[in-house]
Amino acid sequence: MANTKEKKHKKEGTATEFSKETYLRWYEMMQLMRRFEEKTGQLYGQQKIKGFCHLYIGQEACAAGAITALNKDDKWITAYRCHAHPLGLGTSPGAVMAEMFAKATGSSKGKGGSMHIFDKNVNFVGGHGIVGAQIPLGAGLAFAEKYNKTKNLCICYMGDGAVRQGALHETFNMAMTWKLPVIFVIENNGYAMGTSVQRTSNVTDLYTLGEAYDMPSEPVNGMSVEDVHEAVARAAERARAGEGPTLLEFRTYRYKGHSMSDPAKYRTKEELATYRDQDPVGMVRYTLLENDYATGADLDAIDAKIKDQITEAVKFAEESPYPAPEELYEDVYVQEDYPYVQD
């Protein structure tokens, strides 16, 4: 029999009860994402990280809840706000940081930078810089899983701005026709770069786009790691049963601008404060303390551990070498004797 505190944090209408271990895993995972991104912002300001850089601060539940709902052999693909997903999946913080420093020890050998984190070891098939390009690729990954009869799936993330791309509609049609095991996720943080959804679309309930293809579709509170987990678990069950794709609209919020060069003057301080009151990391911390799953000292110890991890990641990145010039010609073609490769 659940006690009063446990009942308060149980989601109505579901049979799911999350354990102490799950909440501790979420806290550590999301806190790592948060502190890593904060450090990334600092390093960018010091010009140690260059190029484009898009932070995930505020959206951590969108990745963490899905990670606990899926299997380790499932595939992941997203756009260019891509640091948090591999961190949650188990990629070394040092490898992600080194990639942003453009070092040879980075997850993409220093050739991709902030927008192109990739780690095959954890089935993270990349951040992609072309808006919407990952949508058909995600369906392709799902097609491969179905073809090989693996029972694995692909979860494909996109921003609210990417839903304007025509490739989305072509992909949705094919994915439903072939019943591909793919979960499409719109991380709707309210703004496509600096333009609100209300100014760019007649349809503001973005999940309804899937209904045109009879695709099961629903909105999800993307600030709640519990809601994200449950929605992804339902979608995964359908996918593994051969029932095809699902579209989930994670309604979330980014606390920083679209990228490090964006001062975010298009929104009010009051709007930002409203979402900070729903902070996903803070809510998990509250749940742990309120349910006596952890003490403040326990969580402080986790915070200290993460601080050390990030310090080590920065040290690793700073001390790592840059790629050798000849690396420019590596990893371009799989076929070694491709006719356009020159000596």
Side-chain angles (χ1 to χ4, degrees):
M1 184 74 176
N3 64 33
T4 304
K5 291 179 180 178
E6 287 172 335
K7 287 180 179 178
K8 184 164 73 170
H9 294 286
K10 181 180 175 182
K11 296 294 176 180
E12 293 182 3
T14 75
T16 304
E17 290 185 334
F18 298 106
S19 66
K20 166 185 172 180
E21 290 71 26
T22 298
Y23 275 107
L24 284 169
R25 184 183 176 194
W26 279 334
Y27 181 77
E28 185 167 345
M29 190 189 305
M30 290 197 289
Q31 192 73 313
L32 173 62
M33 295 172 184
R34 175 70 57 88
R35 299 308 178 210
F36 185 95
E37 293 289 65
E38 289 174 347
K39 176 56 71 173
T40 296
Q42 293 174 9
L43 293 166
Y44 192 93
Q46 296 168 10
Q47 298 187 353
K48 293 184 177 182
I49 295 172
K50 302 180 187 297
F52 295 104
C53 185
H54 307 80
L55 303 182
Y56 206 66
I57 298 173
Q59 298 184 207
E60 295 88 355
C62 297
I67 288 168
T68 53
L70 297 180
N71 299 335
K72 67 179 182 63
D73 292 325
D74 293 327
K75 305 301 186 291
W76 293 69
I77 191 168
T78 189
Y80 41 74
R81 200 179 302 279
C82 61
H83 313 152
H85 303 78
L87 288 172
L89 289 166
T91 300
S92 162
V96 180
M97 189 64 76
E99 185 58 39
M100 290 192 286
F101 273 62
K103 297 298 185 71
T105 54
S107 60
S108 301
K109 300 183 181 180
K111 302 177 185 181
S114 167
M115 297 171 68
H116 303 284
I117 307 299
F118 183 99
D119 189 355
K120 186 177 180 181
N121 293 324
V122 298
N123 290 312
F124 184 70
V125 194
H128 293 264
I130 298 175
V131 175
Q134 76 279 14
I135 302 172
L137 293 176
L141 290 164
F143 178 86
E145 299 297 337
K146 181 170 184 176
Y147 184 85
N148 290 318
K149 299 180 173 60
T150 65
K151 291 297 182 182
N152 299 327
L153 58 83
C154 176
I155 184 166
C156 175
Y157 286 76
M158 68 198 80
D160 47 275
V163 303
R164 316 287 170 236
Q165 294 287 359
L168 174 138
H169 298 279
E170 296 167 341
T171 301
F172 279 13
N173 183 55
M174 292 168 63
M176 280 300 293
T177 300
W178 293 338
K179 297 295 183 287
L180 299 182
V182 55
I183 303 171
F184 295 109
V185 172
I186 303 170
E187 289 183 299
N188 182 2
N189 58 34
Y191 297 93
M193 295 184 70
T195 308
S196 69
V197 173
Q198 287 76 14
R199 292 182 59 199
T200 60
S201 177
N202 184 56
V203 176
T204 54
D205 288 327
L206 300 182
Y207 72 94
T208 61
L209 295 173
E211 295 173 354
Y213 302 92
D214 290 336
M215 186 184 298
S217 307
E218 62 177 297
V220 181
N221 178 7
M223 305 301 280
S224 165
V225 69
E226 299 96 335
D227 287 359
V228 168
H229 176 104
E230 290 170 348
V232 171
R234 290 191 297 270
E237 185 176 2
R238 286 196 292 268
R240 298 190 209 284
E243 297 174 12
T246 298
L247 175 63
L248 302 175
E249 179 192 346
F250 289 174
R251 293 175 173 175
T252 184
Y253 200 78
R254 52 173 164 78
Y255 297 164
K256 301 295 183 180
H258 170 72
S259 69
M260 286 298 297
S261 61
D262 173 16
K265 293 181 179 179
Y266 42 80
R267 62 188 184 186
T268 65
K269 292 181 180 179
E270 291 75 18
E271 178 182 295
L272 178 59
T274 297
Y275 282 95
R276 284 192 178 276
D277 287 342
Q278 308 169 44
D279 182 60
V281 182
M283 291 305 296
V284 170
R285 184 182 179 94
Y286 172 83
T287 301
L288 283 163
L289 295 173
E290 188 72 4
N291 285 278
D292 297 323
Y293 288 163
T295 65
D298 293 333
L299 301 183
D300 290 346
I302 292 173
D303 295 347
K305 171 186 168 184
I306 289 168
K307 183 179 180 180
D308 289 343
Q309 283 181 294
I310 294 170
T311 299
E312 285 298 315
V314 175
K315 183 175 185 290
F316 175 76
E318 289 180 327
E319 294 178 353
S320 293
Y322 287 104
E326 54 267 25
E327 274 291 325
L328 183 66
Y329 302 100
E330 298 295 327
D331 306 312
V332 180
Y333 299 103
V334 173
Q335 183 179 333
E336 293 184 3
D337 61 346
Y338 195 77
Y340 296 109
V341 176
Q342 300 179 359
D343 293 330

